[in-house]
Amino acid sequence: MRNASGPRAPMPDDLSPAGAVQVGLGSRSYEIRIGPGLLADAGSAIVPFCTGQKVVIITDETVAALYLEHLTDTLGDAGIAHRTITVPSGEASKDFSTFERVAEEVIGGGVERRDLIVALGGGVVGDLAGFVASVVLRGIDFIQIPTTLLAQVDSSVGGKTAINSSHGKNLIGLFHQPRLVIVDTDTLDSLPRRELLAGYAEVVKYGLLGDQDFFAWLESHGDALLAGDPSARSYAIRVCCEAKARIVAKDEREAGIRALLNLGHTFGHALEAEIGYGGGLLHGEAVAFGMTLAFDLSARLGRCSTGDADRVRAHLAAAGLPISLKETPVQNPADAADRLIGHMWSDKKVAGGKLTFILADGIGQAVVTQDVPLKDVRAVLQAAA
Ligand code: NAD
Ligand code: GLY
């Protein structure tokens, strides 16, 4: 990755335990605790939220093999009764049939309204478990313990819960805020490189949408973060969580600025829909492709410089993320543009019959707009074939 000439944010030695990030939502406010080794003590962190009799852990098969025992041990030490529901790993578990099975198992095991669901895993588990928690008994509390970089910087914070529809991604869901988010940065040690990179795309997103200094910092420290440097990792996760907390506190239900968090998603979701969920492209990879095109489109429309678009492309490519269609499993990239535009119309980013795009007036200056000619969207997609 190239060295940035811009200003650099300082990198602290590490995060202090007092450094929890607050999500300020009045009576529904909660903390995001970030640091190494937090899973081992999760039981005592959860006790104050455990007003009912028991905890239902929802996790996936991969995470269960790695971390479930750590969680059940600490819950046991804290005297919290618990049971576990495990789903297959991967995006396919955000479907109706898995939702039905999990909800029925939660209810069948004798859940009460003051019981607690704990989501242990990546964004798939978090979105699914959060949705189950939001509807079972008309809503019970839940806690997020995210174990992927993507989930630690994005999906575990902000209360969006969802499963996928055959018509598109995350189309069935509710806003339901967690009571607590526990980010144990050590869990990233076992994350496959490709999943780490997919999460890194979401990290880059925060720089691109609103923090040019953070993007410059990533240009010079992104390698260290991806290599597992604990300080770089904790620092970046904290910056992202602080940014997301600020945005969610101002606009919980995405009536305005929260939409900026969808940078890269209009193109990215269309690509995911075209390829098929679980069809070989990770969500973060789709977002990386989408952010590249969002900046290409911004440059084409004269909103940002081609230099900014080039800088985005160069950084994502250097990290090893896909920035063109031929780097993805999409069929026939050369004539994919209209198919992708077709998927955009099924996404929930359509408002008043118009497609919504997050474009940028420069790095760190994202804007929401519906004022985008389709011929320009088509042109950047064709150029990205
Ligand atoms: P994921 O949950 O499928 O996890 C990726 C893979 O990594 C899975 O196979 C999982 O088993 C494995 N894994 C998880 N933690 C691990 C660890 N510590 N070590 C080894 N393997 C581990 O995918 P994801 O990228 O975390 O999340 C993607 C999902 O998040 C998508 O469905 C997306 O729509 C959703 N999302 C939601 C929001 C939101 O605001 N709710 C935001 C962004 C993305
Ligand atoms: N990941 C987008 C949001 O939480 O709004």
Side-chain angles (χ1 to χ4, degrees):
M1 294 179 205
R2 80 181 183 87
N3 278 328
S5 53
R8 310 246 164 88
M11 186 163 67
D13 291 341
D14 211 336
L15 296 171
S16 69
V21 175
Q22 302 288 330
V23 184
L25 288 167
S27 61
R28 291 171 299 107
S29 296
Y30 55 95
E31 277 187 2
I32 309 163
R33 298 187 194 159
I34 305 164
L38 296 189
L39 182 58
D41 205 26
S44 54
I46 290 172
V47 163
F49 300 92
C50 203
T51 54
Q53 292 186 330
K54 58 194 170 301
V55 157
V56 183
I57 303 164
I58 299 178
T59 188
D60 74 24
E61 286 163 0
T62 308
V63 177
L66 290 163
Y67 298 113
L68 181 58
E69 203 176 321
H70 295 62
L71 180 57
T72 55
D73 282 353
T74 176
L75 290 176
D77 291 346
I80 301 172
H82 52 269
R83 63 193 166 96
T84 303
I85 299 171
T86 306
V87 301
S89 306
E91 186 71 27
S93 280
K94 274 176 61 174
D95 68 350
F96 259 118
S97 63
T98 309
F99 164 72
E100 181 182 4
R101 174 173 76 79
V102 173
E104 291 287 12
E105 281 188 33
V106 169
I107 297 162
V111 73
E112 296 179 13
R113 191 163 274 150
R114 288 186 303 123
D115 290 345
L116 189 64
I117 285 180
V118 173
L120 174 70
V124 164
V125 161
D127 280 12
L128 173 69
F131 185 51
V132 170
S134 74
V135 289
V136 163
L137 306 188
R138 298 201 180 91
I140 60 176
D141 285 347
F142 85 115
I143 285 176
Q144 292 266 20
I145 306 183
T147 61
T148 63
L149 181 58
L150 181 145
Q152 294 184 352
V153 299
D154 193 355
S155 62
S156 66
V157 176
K160 279 189 180 177
T161 77
I163 59 172
N164 299 326
S165 149
S166 60
H167 297 284
K169 207 171 147 56
N170 296 332
L171 292 181
I172 302 150
L174 281 167
F175 287 96
H176 188 57
Q177 299 292 342
R179 297 293 313 279
L180 173 70
V181 181
I182 301 171
V183 176
D184 182 342
T185 52
D186 285 345
T187 59
L188 299 181
D189 289 342
S190 56
L191 198 62
R193 173 88 182 170
R194 189 172 165 203
E195 298 288 352
L196 189 70
L197 280 179
Y200 185 71
E202 302 278 6
V203 172
V204 173
K205 183 181 80 177
Y206 288 98
L208 296 181
L209 75 87
D211 189 343
Q212 62 173 323
D213 290 353
F214 183 52
F215 182 72
W217 184 87
L218 289 170
E219 286 180 312
S220 45
H221 296 285
D223 281 341
L225 189 166
L226 290 169
D229 179 295
S231 296
R233 198 154 75 175
S234 288
Y235 174 71
I237 293 169
R238 186 190 178 88
V239 170
C240 296
C241 286
E242 284 175 346
K244 183 146 187 185
R246 270 194 306 274
I247 291 171
V248 169
K250 282 188 190 146
D251 179 24
E252 183 184 6
R253 300 220 158 210
E254 202 172 301
I257 61 161
R258 184 164 180 169
L260 297 178
L261 291 167
N262 296 328
L263 177 64
H265 285 58
T266 305
F267 289 105
H269 277 178
L271 188 56
E272 284 183 282
E274 171 66 13
I275 290 168
Y277 308 125
L281 189 73
L282 302 180
H283 176 69
E285 293 170 339
V287 168
F289 168 81
M291 292 190 300
T292 308
L293 265 71
F295 270 80
D296 286 348
L297 185 54
S298 302
R300 184 180 170 89
L301 297 174
R303 297 198 80 118
C304 75
S305 67
T306 52
D308 279 348
D310 290 345
R311 213 171 135 196
V312 173
R313 175 182 302 280
H315 184 66
L316 294 171
L321 284 157
I323 54 164
S324 69
L325 285 171
K326 63 176 180 298
E327 294 168 82
T328 75
V330 76
Q331 301 284 310
N332 305 319
D335 61 18
D338 283 317
R339 297 198 305 279
L340 292 171
I341 290 170
H343 291 297
M344 289 176 189
W345 290 109
S346 301
D347 201 63
K348 55 189 176 326
K349 288 163 199 65
V350 175
K354 289 186 165 182
L355 294 177
T356 304
F357 286 88
I358 316 303
L359 299 182
D361 293 337
I363 288 172
Q365 299 172 64
V367 289
V368 185
T369 180
Q370 294 190 312
D371 190 18
V372 181
L374 274 186
K375 69 174 177 40
D376 295 301
V377 177
R378 188 175 292 109
V380 294
L381 280 166
Q382 283 166 344

